[in-house]
């Protein structure tokens, strides 16, 4: 009996030692795992279609961890809480951003981390819980949430394209292309005539430019003639008028001074009368010349009459 009791005690002691060793090994393994990884909580304010537990976590395209847990926020079911585990050496900063993204080849949804300036402090939780990263709105989520509308629009476009490419429209397009081919062929056959027409148009344009240049030169010459000779002629006419006025004034004084003698001698009056009339005729002619010059200086100098305006 005593021998059996000793064997039982020895066996029980052995079992206890082995169990303690296993627990110690598990504790060491857990401690090592805790030292190699860090956990964070990513908050999504949108649907995370395609994301599941075990999905990859990438930082600038490099896998740094995976998703441990996905659940709805008990306080707000519209939010999704994703618990991620990344390498302890991953530099998660306070300005690190997160969003839902698709991998390039497989098309699986992943959590993409980005940002994190060197001067920003490390992300920690002041309350002792998991550090929180609020995810940015993802274009992928909008696309997946509106996928039904997109497919409806695509189906509508395909339906309209099918209606557009009906047999009747295809026949019309064929006839239009045939007419276009005939039109281009006709133009190709007349290319020599078209080339000649373009050459004539170019020559006519050159002649028109030359005519405009000559007209401009003629206008400048006429302006110069009017400005130079016209001014000189007008000044001469003004001097003549002044001289005539002085002569008229002198004759008037002479007549006034010799009025008694003129009244006494009819012979002297008869001789002076024709001279006065001739002088008055000359004054009238000079006034007419001055009036014509004022009305049309260029026509008077160039010998052309002003065209009469039609009066209804």
């Amino acid at each position: 009996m005593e021998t059996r009791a000793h064997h039982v005690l020895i066996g029980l002691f052995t079992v206890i030692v082995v169990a303690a060793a296993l627990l110690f090994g598990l504790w060491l393994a857990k401690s090592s795992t805790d030292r190699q990884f860090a956990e964070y909580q990513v908050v999504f304010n949108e649907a995370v279609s395609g994301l599941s537990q075990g999905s990859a976590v990438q930082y600038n395209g490099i896998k740094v961890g995976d998703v441990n847990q996905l659940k709805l926020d008990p306080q707000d079911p519209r939010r999704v809480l994703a618990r991620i585990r990344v390498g302890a050496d991953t530099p998660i900063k306070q300005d690190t951003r997160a969003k839902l993204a698709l991998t390039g080849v497989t098309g699986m949804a992943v959590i993409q981390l980005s940002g994190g300036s060197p001067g920003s402090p490390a992300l920690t939780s002041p309350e002792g819980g998991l550090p929180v990263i609020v995810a940015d709105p993802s274009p992928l989520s909008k696309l997946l949430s509106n996928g039904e509308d997109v497919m409806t629009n695509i189906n509508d476009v395909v339906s309209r394209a099918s209606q557009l490419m009906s047999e009747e429209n295809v026949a019309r397009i064929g006839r239009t292309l045939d007419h276009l081919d005939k039109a281009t062929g006709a133009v190709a056959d007349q290319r020599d005539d078209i080339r000649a027409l373009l050459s004539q148009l170019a020559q006519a344009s050159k002649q028109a430019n030359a005519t405009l240049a000559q007209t401009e030169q003629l206008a400048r010459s006429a302006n110069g003639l009017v400005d130079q000779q016209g001014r000189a002629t007008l000044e001469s006419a003004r001097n003549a008028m002044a001289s005539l006025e002085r002569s008229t004034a002198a004759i008037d004084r002479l007549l006034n001074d010799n009025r008694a003698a003129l009244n006494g001698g009819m012979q002297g009056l008869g001789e002076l009368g024709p001279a006065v009339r001739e002088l008055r005729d000359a004054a009238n002619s000079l006034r007419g010349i001055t009036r014509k010059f004022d009305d049309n200086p260029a026509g008077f100098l160039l010998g052309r009459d002003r065209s009469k305006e039609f009066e209804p």
Side-chain angles (χ1 to χ4, degrees):
M1 294 294 295
E2 294 179 1
T3 303
R4 288 182 179 180
H6 288 297
H7 288 301
V8 171
L9 291 176
I10 293 173
L12 181 60
F13 178 76
T14 303
V15 171
I16 293 174
V17 171
V18 171
L22 290 175
L23 292 175
F24 182 73
L26 292 175
W27 179 77
L28 290 178
K30 185 177 182 303
S31 299
S32 177
T33 301
D34 293 339
R35 287 193 301 269
Q36 293 177 358
F37 293 94
E39 291 185 344
Y40 298 88
Q41 184 167 277
V42 181
V43 179
F44 292 94
N45 293 311
E46 58 189 0
V48 290
S49 302
L51 189 67
S52 61
Q53 186 174 351
S55 297
V57 177
Q58 296 182 356
Y59 201 131
N60 291 336
I62 301 175
K63 182 178 179 181
V64 294
D66 51 19
V67 179
N68 280 346
Q69 185 183 27
L70 279 175
K71 66 177 181 178
L72 297 175
D73 188 354
Q75 306 297 330
D76 188 355
R78 296 173 298 179
R79 301 198 308 171
V80 177
L81 305 180
R83 186 171 184 175
I84 63 174
R85 184 181 64 174
V86 300
D89 57 346
T90 304
I92 305 296
K93 306 289 186 178
Q94 291 185 0
D95 56 353
T96 298
R97 317 293 296 180
K99 67 178 181 179
L100 187 66
L102 286 178
T103 55
V105 179
T106 61
M108 297 180 62
V110 297
I111 295 178
Q112 184 67 256
L113 302 178
S114 61
S117 58
S120 178
L123 179 63
T124 58
S125 177
E127 299 178 358
L130 293 178
V132 177
I133 303 175
V134 179
D136 297 331
S138 174
L140 174 62
S141 299
K142 295 181 180 178
L143 177 62
L144 294 176
S145 60
N146 298 328
E148 184 177 355
D149 296 336
V150 173
M151 292 303 299
T152 302
N153 294 334
I154 292 176
N155 292 333
D156 190 12
V157 171
V158 172
S159 177
R160 292 181 181 274
S162 299
Q163 295 176 2
L164 180 63
M165 300 304 294
S166 62
E167 295 181 359
E168 184 180 358
N169 291 337
V170 170
R172 290 178 179 176
I173 293 174
R175 290 194 298 269
T176 302
L177 293 177
D178 187 18
H179 295 163
L180 183 61
D181 185 30
K182 292 179 180 179
T184 53
V187 172
D189 294 338
Q190 300 296 327
R191 58 180 178 272
D192 294 335
D193 296 338
I194 295 175
R195 188 180 299 109
L197 178 61
L198 293 177
S199 177
Q200 293 176 2
L201 289 176
Q203 185 176 1
S205 178
K206 292 181 180 179
Q207 292 178 357
N209 292 333
T211 303
L212 290 176
Q214 293 176 0
T215 304
E216 185 179 359
Q217 184 177 3
L218 179 61
R220 286 198 297 267
S221 300
N223 291 333
L225 181 63
V226 172
D227 291 339
Q228 297 176 4
Q229 297 182 2
R231 290 179 181 178
T233 303
L234 182 60
E235 187 66 24
S236 299
R238 288 178 179 175
N239 294 333
M241 287 294 296
S243 177
L244 182 61
E245 289 179 357
R246 288 194 298 270
S247 299
T248 304
I251 292 173
D252 289 339
R253 287 195 300 272
L254 179 62
L255 291 174
N256 293 328
D257 294 340
N258 298 279
R259 184 177 299 277
L262 290 174
N263 291 330
M266 296 300 294
Q267 183 177 0
L269 181 60
E271 295 178 355
L272 186 59
V276 172
R277 286 195 296 272
E278 292 178 358
L279 186 59
R280 289 180 178 176
D281 292 339
N284 292 330
S285 299
L286 187 58
R287 288 191 181 93
I289 293 172
T290 304
R291 189 180 302 107
K292 291 181 179 180
F293 183 79
D294 290 337
D295 294 338
N296 188 10
F300 178 78
L301 294 175
L302 298 178
R304 299 176 182 176
D305 294 334
R306 173 181 292 180
S307 59
K308 296 182 179 180
E309 298 181 354
F310 174 75
E311 296 180 357

